[in-house]
């Protein structure tokens, strides 16, 4: 249901320690790297150690950010 989907998205954001807002991707906590992909799977960048990744240079569209730690991986999909 729609309510379950909203809860799932909230859990992904919480577990991944990533949040998208105002053309910036924000990370919190420890992580090894964040890899940013376009909707069609093209890798756009690999980031390490940054808490804020500016995305204002990207065109409007759907993106996927994958946050990797030593023992886990989390994904955040967002529309710019």
């Amino acid at each position: 249901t729609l309510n379950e989907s909203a809860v799932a998205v909230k859990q992904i954001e919480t577990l991944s320690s990533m949040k998208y807002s105002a053309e910036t991707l924000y990370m919190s906590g420890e992580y090894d790297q964040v890899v940013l992909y376009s909707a069609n799977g093209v890798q756009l960048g690999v980031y390490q150690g940054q808490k804020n990744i500016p995305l204002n240079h990207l065109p409007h569209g759907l993106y996927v950010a994958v946050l990797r730690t030593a023992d886990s991986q989390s994904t955040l999909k967002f529309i710019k």
Side-chain angles (χ1 to χ4, degrees):
T1 67
L2 181 57
N3 191 23
E4 290 171 348
S5 297
V7 170
V9 169
K10 180 66 174 170
Q11 287 174 345
I12 288 171
E13 290 176 354
T14 301
L15 294 175
S16 67
S17 300
M18 290 186 289
K19 178 179 148 185
Y20 172 73
S21 177
E23 300 206 7
T24 302
L25 187 62
Y26 298 96
M27 277 70 59
S28 61
E30 298 294 320
Y31 70 93
D32 294 327
Q33 69 178 174
V34 172
V35 183
L36 184 63
Y37 297 95
S38 66
N40 59 0
V42 175
Q43 183 175 308
L44 303 173
V46 178
Y47 305 90
Q48 296 176 319
Q50 294 176 249
K51 295 296 181 184
N52 304 321
I53 300 173
L55 304 173
N56 54 342
H57 65 284
L58 296 174
H60 293 285
L62 177 65
Y63 296 91
V64 177
V66 178
L67 182 143
R68 295 186 177 117
T69 66
D71 58 357
S72 68
Q73 176 174 302
S74 300
T75 303
L76 176 68
K77 295 178 185 176
F78 62 94
I79 299 172
K80 176 180 184 279

